[in-house]
Amino acid sequence: MPTTPATATHSSSNGTAEAIMLELVDENGTTIGTAEKLAAHQAPGQLHRAFSVFLFDEQGRLLLQRRALGKYHSPGVWSNTCCGHPYPGEAPFAAAARRTYEELGIAPSLLAEAGTVRYNHPDPASGLVEQEFNHLFVGMAQEALKPDPEEVGETAFVTAAELAERHARAPFSAWFMTVLDAARPAIRELTGPSAGW
């Protein structure tokens, strides 16, 4: 994956884990500072920049991932294709492409912006809070997946009807329906009316 100035700044050359910093924003999405990742998610939460990616196959099915059990936040639950946080100074589009590659081993095709959504979702299981200004992206998954097992426990391509059925019986991330609903206009534009999104 190509290195950008933002990712180069956040890469450790000696193999030690570096604190992950997030961009804090105001209600308009303007950067106002930074905070360490875990601190930004501790109650009541600090509003920070995030992104959510929704990738589809040629049949208009959405690629879901079940978050790995080792993740500190929302482990083992289903969620959208990829989500995360840009590094300070990293464009959300670049961050979305970077994390999709890091988590799933693919470069998204036709990746396009799909708006933003602001939400506040506490996670009862962990006590952490998602206070996010979230940049949404939609695109296509046209390569074989190579998921990183430390990030992704399982993947599935689902139709809109299959998603509704799965959502009724399996745990999903607290933010999933909020970001999906906000991205629906762009999803319909990408997949066409027959896909049912």
Side-chain angles (χ1 to χ4, degrees):
M1 195 68 188
T3 302
T4 66
T7 57
T9 302
H10 299 278
S11 299
S12 176
S13 58
N14 62 7
T16 59
E18 194 176 310
I20 297 173
M21 302 300 289
L22 307 185
E23 260 185 18
L24 300 181
V25 299
D26 65 15
E27 294 292 336
N28 299 312
T30 303
T31 303
I32 57 172
T34 60
E36 191 277 323
K37 183 178 178 180
L38 186 57
H41 288 88
Q42 289 173 336
Q46 299 176 74
L47 184 59
H48 57 275
R49 194 176 309 285
F51 63 83
S52 289
V53 177
F54 296 86
L55 297 184
F56 295 82
D57 67 8
E58 300 290 346
Q59 290 76 49
R61 297 180 303 169
L62 172 62
L63 173 57
L64 297 177
Q65 70 155 275
R66 187 173 59 79
R67 294 164 63 86
L69 291 173
K71 293 183 81 75
Y72 79 92
H73 189 351
S74 303
V77 301
W78 288 92
S79 199
N80 49 292
T81 307
C82 179
C83 53
H85 310 91
Y87 292 130
E90 184 181 22
F93 184 94
R98 171 180 58 79
R99 279 306 286 166
T100 300
Y101 183 82
E102 290 170 356
E103 292 188 6
L104 295 161
I106 62 169
S109 305
L110 305 175
L111 192 65
E113 295 183 17
T116 60
V117 63
R118 176 0 182 159
Y119 54 78
N120 176 1
H121 285 303
D123 176 32
S126 67
L128 299 174
V129 178
E130 290 289 2
Q131 279 266 24
E132 294 188 330
F133 188 94
N134 197 307
H135 297 256
L136 307 170
F137 298 93
V138 300
M140 303 291 291
Q142 296 179 307
E143 303 173 48
L145 303 177
K146 300 176 282 294
D148 177 350
E150 291 189 11
E151 299 286 347
V152 179
E154 190 178 346
T155 61
F157 281 97
V158 297
T159 65
E162 289 166 346
L163 174 62
E165 182 183 306
R166 185 181 292 254
H167 192 263
R169 60 181 165 78
F172 273 72
S173 63
W175 62 87
F176 176 75
M177 286 309 297
T178 300
V179 293
L180 175 63
D181 287 343
R184 277 186 200 275
I187 290 170
R188 290 186 189 114
E189 191 173 322
L190 177 72
T191 61
S194 63
W197 294 103

